[in-house]
Amino acid sequence: MKKVVSLMAAFLIVAGTTAMAAEKHSHDSHDSHAAPAASKAQPKASKDKTPNPVKDEMVALNEAFKNLLDAILLNEPEKVELPFHNVHRYKEKTMAAAKKGEIKLPKNNDKFAEFEKLDEKFHHDLEGILAAADKKDMKALTAKTHKLFDACVECHSKFRNK
Ligand code: HEC
């Protein structure tokens, strides 16, 4: 787990730099292997007029989650982790915005503390997924991914969907 965390920290720096470069030169794409996920999430995020860190994080998360499903189906656990670096980068921004009270949830905004709790638990469970992928434990990876999906639905039904 320590290895995963420090790997992630190293990656956050690389992904952050890459994304900043991508923002400035969106046609310039000779960057690192973090580029595919970053460049897909980035344009959508920067086009929005009102900053919405939760949405930006979700776009990245959605991509990482779909990649996770493919990685399980194709038995390629080594491909799980990379797009999640992007998610973690956005999570940092979401947390900073939350501290400043800048987040407005589509539904139940007055229950923000509950949202934060769900989010924390979600990211904790995500660590478990990355650890299972790291160990190439497909059985655990699959079970944890089912659980994670339930958490997507739970949070959306409370804080997003009408
Ligand atoms: C802790 C709460 C929470 C969890 C967990 C969560 N989401 Fe979300 N998600 C939201 C909220 C809130 C929005 C609405 C953001 C907005 O429109 O302001 C959202 C929006 C989205 C969107 C729409 C983005 C857009 O462009 O409008 C997608 C796609 C998405 N989530 C995917 C996922 C997936 C996939 C998972 C699980 C792997 C997940 N979410 C887990 C809270 C959550």
Side-chain angles (χ1 to χ4, degrees), residues 62-84:
N62 197 38
E63 207 160 293
F65 188 73
K66 285 181 176 163
N67 178 73
L68 166 63
L69 297 185
D70 284 349
I72 291 173
L73 290 170
L74 304 179
N75 194 23
E76 295 173 331
E78 69 282 0
K79 294 198 177 163
V80 167
E81 188 168 327
L82 188 62
F84 281 105

Short mmCIF file of all heavy atoms in Angstrom, two decimals, residues 62-84:
data_model
loop_
_atom_site.label_atom_id
_atom_site.label_comp_id
_atom_site.label_asym_id
_atom_site.label_seq_id
_atom_site.Cartn_x
_atom_site.Cartn_y
_atom_site.Cartn_z
N ASN A 62 -15.42 8.43 -14.45
CA ASN A 62 -16.20 7.62 -15.37
C ASN A 62 -15.28 6.89 -16.36
O ASN A 62 -15.45 5.71 -16.65
CB ASN A 62 -17.18 8.53 -16.11
CG ASN A 62 -18.29 7.75 -16.77
OD1 ASN A 62 -18.79 6.77 -16.23
ND2 ASN A 62 -18.67 8.16 -17.95
N GLU A 63 -14.30 7.62 -16.82
CA GLU A 63 -13.35 7.04 -17.77
C GLU A 63 -12.51 5.95 -17.10
O GLU A 63 -12.32 4.87 -17.67
CB GLU A 63 -12.44 8.16 -18.26
CG GLU A 63 -11.89 7.90 -19.62
CD GLU A 63 -11.41 9.18 -20.24
OE1 GLU A 63 -12.23 10.05 -20.52
OE2 GLU A 63 -10.20 9.29 -20.39
N ALA A 64 -12.05 6.23 -15.89
CA ALA A 64 -11.24 5.26 -15.16
C ALA A 64 -12.06 4.01 -14.83
O ALA A 64 -11.55 2.89 -14.88
CB ALA A 64 -10.69 5.89 -13.88
N PHE A 65 -13.33 4.23 -14.52
CA PHE A 65 -14.18 3.09 -14.16
C PHE A 65 -14.44 2.19 -15.37
O PHE A 65 -14.37 0.97 -15.26
CB PHE A 65 -15.50 3.59 -13.55
CG PHE A 65 -16.33 2.47 -12.99
CD1 PHE A 65 -15.96 1.85 -11.79
CD2 PHE A 65 -17.47 2.02 -13.63
CE1 PHE A 65 -16.70 0.80 -11.26
CE2 PHE A 65 -18.22 0.98 -13.11
CZ PHE A 65 -17.84 0.36 -11.93
N LYS A 66 -14.70 2.80 -16.50
CA LYS A 66 -14.94 1.99 -17.71
C LYS A 66 -13.68 1.22 -18.10
O LYS A 66 -13.75 0.07 -18.53
CB LYS A 66 -15.42 2.89 -18.85
CG LYS A 66 -16.85 3.29 -18.62
CD LYS A 66 -17.40 4.16 -19.70
CE LYS A 66 -18.87 4.43 -19.42
NZ LYS A 66 -19.39 5.56 -20.18
N ASN A 67 -12.56 1.87 -17.94
CA ASN A 67 -11.29 1.20 -18.20
C ASN A 67 -11.09 0.03 -17.24
O ASN A 67 -10.58 -1.03 -17.63
CB ASN A 67 -10.14 2.21 -18.08
CG ASN A 67 -8.80 1.56 -18.29
OD1 ASN A 67 -8.46 1.20 -19.41
ND2 ASN A 67 -8.07 1.34 -17.22
N LEU A 68 -11.52 0.25 -15.99
CA LEU A 68 -11.43 -0.82 -14.97
C LEU A 68 -12.25 -2.03 -15.41
O LEU A 68 -11.80 -3.18 -15.31
CB LEU A 68 -11.93 -0.27 -13.63
CG LEU A 68 -12.24 -1.24 -12.50
CD1 LEU A 68 -11.00 -1.99 -12.05
CD2 LEU A 68 -12.85 -0.49 -11.31
N LEU A 69 -13.46 -1.79 -15.91
CA LEU A 69 -14.32 -2.90 -16.37
C LEU A 69 -13.63 -3.66 -17.51
O LEU A 69 -13.58 -4.89 -17.51
CB LEU A 69 -15.68 -2.39 -16.84
CG LEU A 69 -16.55 -1.70 -15.79
CD1 LEU A 69 -17.91 -1.35 -16.37
CD2 LEU A 69 -16.73 -2.56 -14.55
N ASP A 70 -13.08 -2.92 -18.46
CA ASP A 70 -12.36 -3.57 -19.57
C ASP A 70 -11.19 -4.39 -19.05
O ASP A 70 -10.96 -5.51 -19.49
CB ASP A 70 -11.81 -2.52 -20.54
CG ASP A 70 -12.91 -1.93 -21.42
OD1 ASP A 70 -14.03 -2.47 -21.41
OD2 ASP A 70 -12.65 -0.93 -22.11
N ALA A 71 -10.44 -3.80 -18.12
CA ALA A 71 -9.26 -4.48 -17.59
C ALA A 71 -9.64 -5.80 -16.92
O ALA A 71 -8.92 -6.79 -17.03
CB ALA A 71 -8.52 -3.56 -16.63
N ILE A 72 -10.79 -5.80 -16.24
CA ILE A 72 -11.25 -7.04 -15.60
C ILE A 72 -11.66 -8.05 -16.68
O ILE A 72 -11.24 -9.21 -16.67
CB ILE A 72 -12.43 -6.77 -14.64
CG1 ILE A 72 -11.93 -5.97 -13.44
CG2 ILE A 72 -13.06 -8.08 -14.18
CD1 ILE A 72 -13.04 -5.51 -12.50
N LEU A 73 -12.46 -7.58 -17.62
CA LEU A 73 -12.97 -8.48 -18.67
C LEU A 73 -11.84 -9.09 -19.49
O LEU A 73 -11.92 -10.23 -19.93
CB LEU A 73 -13.92 -7.72 -19.61
CG LEU A 73 -15.26 -7.34 -18.97
CD1 LEU A 73 -16.02 -6.39 -19.89
CD2 LEU A 73 -16.08 -8.57 -18.67
N LEU A 74 -10.79 -8.31 -19.70
CA LEU A 74 -9.69 -8.78 -20.56
C LEU A 74 -8.51 -9.33 -19.75
O LEU A 74 -7.45 -9.61 -20.31
CB LEU A 74 -9.22 -7.63 -21.47
CG LEU A 74 -10.33 -7.02 -22.34
CD1 LEU A 74 -9.79 -5.87 -23.18
CD2 LEU A 74 -11.00 -8.07 -23.24
N ASN A 75 -8.73 -9.46 -18.43
CA ASN A 75 -7.70 -9.99 -17.56
C ASN A 75 -6.36 -9.23 -17.68
O ASN A 75 -5.31 -9.81 -17.85
CB ASN A 75 -7.49 -11.49 -17.86
CG ASN A 75 -6.70 -12.18 -16.78
OD1 ASN A 75 -6.65 -11.72 -15.64
ND2 ASN A 75 -6.05 -13.29 -17.13
N GLU A 76 -6.48 -7.90 -17.59
CA GLU A 76 -5.29 -7.06 -17.68
C GLU A 76 -5.21 -6.11 -16.47
O GLU A 76 -5.34 -4.89 -16.61
CB GLU A 76 -5.33 -6.23 -18.97
CG GLU A 76 -5.25 -7.10 -20.23
CD GLU A 76 -5.46 -6.32 -21.52
OE1 GLU A 76 -6.17 -5.29 -21.52
OE2 GLU A 76 -4.92 -6.74 -22.55
N PRO A 77 -5.03 -6.70 -15.27
CA PRO A 77 -5.06 -5.86 -14.06
C PRO A 77 -4.01 -4.75 -14.05
O PRO A 77 -4.19 -3.73 -13.41
CB PRO A 77 -4.81 -6.86 -12.92
CG PRO A 77 -4.18 -8.04 -13.58
CD PRO A 77 -4.73 -8.11 -14.96
N GLU A 78 -2.94 -4.95 -14.80
CA GLU A 78 -1.89 -3.92 -14.83
C GLU A 78 -2.38 -2.63 -15.51
O GLU A 78 -1.75 -1.59 -15.37
CB GLU A 78 -0.62 -4.46 -15.52
CG GLU A 78 -0.73 -4.73 -17.03
CD GLU A 78 -1.48 -6.04 -17.39
OE1 GLU A 78 -1.91 -6.76 -16.47
OE2 GLU A 78 -1.62 -6.31 -18.60
N LYS A 79 -3.52 -2.71 -16.20
CA LYS A 79 -4.03 -1.51 -16.87
C LYS A 79 -5.03 -0.71 -16.02
O LYS A 79 -5.53 0.32 -16.45
CB LYS A 79 -4.71 -1.90 -18.20
CG LYS A 79 -3.71 -2.45 -19.20
CD LYS A 79 -4.28 -2.42 -20.60
CE LYS A 79 -3.22 -2.91 -21.60
NZ LYS A 79 -3.81 -3.28 -22.87
N VAL A 80 -5.31 -1.21 -14.81
CA VAL A 80 -6.34 -0.58 -13.99
C VAL A 80 -5.92 0.80 -13.49
O VAL A 80 -6.67 1.77 -13.54
CB VAL A 80 -6.69 -1.49 -12.78
CG1 VAL A 80 -7.52 -0.74 -11.75
CG2 VAL A 80 -7.44 -2.73 -13.27
N GLU A 81 -4.70 0.89 -13.01
CA GLU A 81 -4.31 2.04 -12.19
C GLU A 81 -4.19 3.39 -12.91
O GLU A 81 -4.66 4.42 -12.41
CB GLU A 81 -2.99 1.73 -11.47
CG GLU A 81 -2.65 2.80 -10.46
CD GLU A 81 -1.52 2.40 -9.53
OE1 GLU A 81 -1.40 1.21 -9.21
OE2 GLU A 81 -0.76 3.28 -9.13
N LEU A 82 -3.59 3.38 -14.06
CA LEU A 82 -3.21 4.64 -14.71
C LEU A 82 -4.30 5.72 -14.77
O LEU A 82 -4.08 6.84 -14.31
CB LEU A 82 -2.62 4.35 -16.09
CG LEU A 82 -2.00 5.55 -16.81
CD1 LEU A 82 -0.83 6.13 -16.02
CD2 LEU A 82 -1.56 5.16 -18.21
N PRO A 83 -5.49 5.42 -15.29
CA PRO A 83 -6.48 6.51 -15.38
C PRO A 83 -6.98 7.03 -14.03
O PRO A 83 -7.53 8.12 -13.96
CB PRO A 83 -7.64 5.89 -16.16
CG PRO A 83 -7.20 4.56 -16.62
CD PRO A 83 -5.98 4.17 -15.88
N PHE A 84 -6.74 6.26 -12.96
CA PHE A 84 -7.16 6.73 -11.64
C PHE A 84 -6.26 7.84 -11.11
O PHE A 84 -6.66 8.58 -10.22
CB PHE A 84 -7.24 5.57 -10.64
CG PHE A 84 -8.49 4.76 -10.79
CD1 PHE A 84 -8.47 3.51 -11.38
CD2 PHE A 84 -9.72 5.28 -10.38
CE1 PHE A 84 -9.63 2.77 -11.55
CE2 PHE A 84 -10.90 4.55 -10.54
CZ PHE A 84 -10.85 3.29 -11.14
#
